[in-house]
Amino acid sequence: MLTIQEVHFYTILSDMGKVNPINCPFNEDSIMDHIIISKVNELDEVYFNCITCKSRFTPGTNVIKIIKDTIDKYKNQV
């Protein structure tokens, strides 16, 4: 399971330019930047809201693996 703390750490790395940002899966053809907000539901599950296109999505296994692997790589460097 992915925690909001892990997403926050990944977002910090993204803001620093070390990793790619989390993207909205619904903006493949869009030229607009989509604004993604991470949240936690009542079961402590992380999900994302795209403010731009008003969609809500949960991270899949690939995104979770990317975030966790990235955190393992950078956790002692920041």
Side-chain angles (χ1 to χ4, degrees):
M1 182 160 83
L2 190 63
T3 66
I4 196 69
Q5 290 85 1
E6 291 169 323
V7 173
H8 180 69
F9 186 73
Y10 186 89
T11 302
I12 290 170
L13 292 172
S14 173
D15 290 346
M16 294 170 65
K18 294 184 180 275
V19 297
N20 292 328
I22 297 170
N23 292 316
C24 176
F26 306 108
N27 79 346
E28 294 175 11
D29 298 328
S30 175
I31 58 172
M32 290 189 313
D33 287 333
H34 285 231
I35 300 168
I36 306 298
I37 305 294
S38 55
K39 296 193 174 197
V40 179
N41 67 16
E42 60 278 349
L43 300 174
D44 285 334
E45 299 167 328
V46 173
Y47 66 94
F48 300 100
N49 278 338
C50 178
I51 302 302
T52 309
C53 71
K54 298 180 178 37
S55 63
R56 177 179 171 171
F57 58 97
T58 56
T61 55
N62 290 339
V63 171
I64 292 171
K65 182 174 179 2
I66 289 168
I67 291 172
K68 288 186 176 281
D69 289 349
T70 301
I71 289 169
D72 286 342
K73 178 179 175 183
Y74 285 100
K75 67 183 169 187
N76 295 322
Q77 298 178 21
V78 176

